[in-house]
């Protein structure tokens, strides 16, 4: 179809990873015959008053058939939807998956397998003193070591494996008053996970990541990638996880439980360069095909 698309990415992040993701999508869209433009989230400003929701921007956003929202600027995403644009992923699904606590809550009510998790009470000040009762319960619940994880984070940077009270104190000092949870550590998955990339209701490619130097399998933490062929049970689990959060595009990370698989994380904006390097599969092509089908319906 001769569609007009817009790709929105964050204008305040200087890492090449983000623009690279947007450019991969752009190339795939051009290949498909779409007209496509890249815009930064800070090139448009949401205007609210008692009229229709609007945007102040120097760009012409008429005749846009779809928007690929690669950013986490949730307010902007909701504004665009209120104005009638079709977003991939939707604002709501991006919001839920960005927040690991909200994500686990959704997955848990659907009875999908997640690590046992205790949510820290909201805190406004003195994180160490005010967390004592919660931390005592967590030690009692999980035993050492366990995982402390912030609600918002990526590249493994806001995930801590704590072995004792000193580790806990250091983690809490870093987290300060941001939301976090304590979580069962899945020993059998030390340094290893699998990433399954979901587009619509199918898994289009997957890789296994293994780190020899860290409990986190993230490539940024030293995880080495290899092609992985998921079985039907793993594929089914990944698709269910994505659908539970309402995501049409998702990078689902599964941990290796002793026998079963456990959902570690569901990313709305998983970067696909590593998958291409590892598996030779360009997920962007599948994403654009999916959008083409959806928008043409
Ligand atoms: N409960 C857990 N048990 C074992 N390993 C974990 C657990 N939670 C996270 N990890 C490891 O840490 C990595 C990063 O955690 P994740 O929740 O995916 O955060 P991020 O969004 O920063 O990638 C995972 O890929 C996994 O290797
Ligand atoms: Mg992850």
């Amino acid at each position: 179809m001769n569609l007009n698309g817009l790709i929105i990415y964050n204008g305040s992040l200087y890492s090449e990873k983000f623009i690279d993701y947007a450019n991969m999508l752009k190339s795939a869209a051009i290949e498909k015959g779409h007209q496509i433009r890249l815009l930064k989230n800070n090139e448009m400003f949401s205007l609210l008053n008692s009229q229709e929701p609007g945007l102040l921007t120097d760009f012409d956003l008429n005749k846009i058939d779809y928007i690929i929202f690669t950013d986490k600027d949730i307010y902007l995403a909701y504004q665009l939807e209120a104005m009638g644009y079709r977003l991939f992923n939707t604002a709501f699904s991006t919001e839920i998956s960005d927040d690991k606590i909200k994500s686990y809550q959704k997955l848990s009510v659907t009875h999908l397998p997640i690590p046992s998790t205790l949510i820290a009470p909201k805190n406004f000040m003195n994180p160490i003193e005010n967390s004592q009762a919660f931390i005592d319960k967590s030690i009692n619940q999980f035993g050492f070591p366990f995982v402390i994880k912030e609600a918002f984070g990526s590249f493994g940077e806001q995930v801590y494996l704590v072995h004792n009270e000193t580790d806990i104190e250091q983690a809490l000092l870093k987290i300060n008053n941001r939301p976090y949870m304590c979580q069962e550590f899945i020993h059998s998955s030390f340094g290893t996970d699998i990433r399954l990339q979901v587009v619509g209701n199918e898994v289009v490619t997957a890789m296994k990541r293994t780190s020899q130097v860290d409990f986190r399998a993230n490539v940024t933490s030293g995880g080495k990638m290899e092609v992985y062929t998921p079985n039907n049970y793993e594929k089914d689990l990944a698709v269910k996880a994505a659908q539970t959060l309402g995501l049409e595009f998702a990078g689902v990370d599964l941990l290796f439980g002793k026998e079963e698989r456990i959902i570690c994380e569901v990313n709305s904006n998983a970067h696909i360069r590593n998958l291409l390097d590892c598996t030779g599969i360009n997920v962007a092509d599948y994403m654009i095909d999916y959008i083409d089908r959806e928008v043409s319906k």
Side-chain angles (χ1 to χ4, degrees):
M1 272 267 287
N2 196 6
L3 297 176
N4 254 306
L6 182 66
I7 300 171
I8 295 183
Y9 67 103
N10 191 280
S12 74
L13 292 168
Y14 298 110
S15 161
E16 277 301 308
K17 282 179 191 166
F18 299 95
I19 182 78
D20 178 52
Y21 179 45
N23 277 325
M24 283 175 78
L25 291 163
K26 182 180 173 184
S27 304
I30 289 172
E31 195 116 318
K32 191 89 192 162
H34 295 190
Q35 302 283 330
I36 191 93
R37 203 152 26 123
L38 258 63
L39 278 185
K40 298 177 184 147
N41 73 312
N42 57 8
E43 291 177 313
M44 56 192 87
F45 313 104
S46 302
L47 177 66
L48 303 171
N49 51 34
S50 52
Q51 324 286 303
E52 290 294 304
L55 276 185
L56 299 185
T57 180
D58 296 337
F59 301 90
D60 178 12
L61 299 187
N62 285 316
K63 302 199 195 93
I64 298 283
D65 298 307
Y66 68 87
I67 297 178
I68 308 182
F69 201 79
T70 74
D71 195 17
K72 293 185 173 173
D73 188 338
I74 295 302
Y75 303 123
L76 175 60
Y78 278 116
Q79 185 81 3
L80 291 164
E81 283 185 349
M83 292 172 69
Y85 293 107
R86 170 70 160 97
L87 264 63
F88 296 88
N89 284 300
T90 63
F92 183 71
S93 63
T94 304
E95 178 181 9
I96 299 291
S97 64
D98 189 33
D99 181 335
K100 292 184 170 80
I101 296 178
K102 283 186 189 162
S103 299
Y104 285 126
Q105 282 186 314
K106 283 255 179 220
L107 296 168
S108 154
V109 293
T110 321
H111 306 296
L112 288 173
I114 57 167
S116 176
T117 298
L118 268 178
I119 305 170
K122 186 170 177 65
N123 199 49
F124 286 107
M125 55 181 75
N126 305 331
I128 303 225
E129 293 83 333
N130 290 329
S131 295
Q132 201 51 57
F134 170 70
I135 289 297
D136 288 345
K137 272 278 181 287
S138 299
I139 296 173
N140 199 32
Q141 182 76 13
F142 305 122
F144 285 117
F146 63 88
V147 169
I148 294 185
K149 191 180 288 193
E150 296 192 36
F152 301 94
S154 34
F155 308 119
E157 282 164 14
Q158 288 76 20
V159 181
Y160 316 89
L161 184 62
V162 296
H163 295 86
N164 49 49
E165 310 256 355
T166 316
D167 288 351
I168 294 175
E169 193 170 314
Q170 278 173 357
L172 293 184
L173 282 174
K174 273 195 203 144
I175 295 171
N176 200 4
N177 295 309
R178 293 190 295 270
Y180 73 97
M181 70 208 97
C182 289
Q183 187 170 78
E184 166 193 15
F185 178 55
I186 309 298
H187 281 269
S188 45
S189 202
F190 192 103
T192 309
D193 69 5
I194 44 178
R195 158 67 54 88
L196 291 88
Q197 198 68 27
V198 175
V199 175
N201 56 10
E202 62 166 337
V203 171
V204 297
T205 186
M207 66 180 175
K208 184 177 176 190
R209 303 181 294 191
T210 311
S211 173
Q212 303 295 344
V213 294
D214 201 287
F215 76 98
R216 291 162 293 195
N218 303 69
V219 174
T220 334
S221 303
K224 298 275 177 280
M225 308 177 283
E226 60 187 293
V227 179
Y228 186 79
T229 308
N231 60 34
N232 286 340
Y233 155 71
E234 290 163 337
K235 287 196 240 181
D236 191 48
L237 191 52
V239 170
K240 276 192 183 132
Q243 288 180 343
T244 299
L245 305 193
L247 292 168
E248 295 166 281
F249 307 143
V252 181
D253 295 345
L254 301 181
L255 298 170
F256 291 90
K258 285 209 179 77
E259 270 135 41
E260 74 293 17
R261 299 289 175 266
I262 300 168
I263 301 165
C264 180
E265 195 200 2
V266 188
N267 297 280
S268 62
N269 288 317
H271 291 184
I272 52 180
R273 171 66 63 189
N274 285 340
L275 278 168
L276 174 61
D277 292 346
C278 174
T279 69
I281 290 187
N282 189 350
V283 177
D285 294 331
Y286 290 87
M287 293 166 72
I288 299 297
D289 280 348
Y290 175 85
I291 290 173
D292 202 274
R293 285 197 302 275
E294 284 299 304
V295 177
S296 312
K297 268 181 189 168

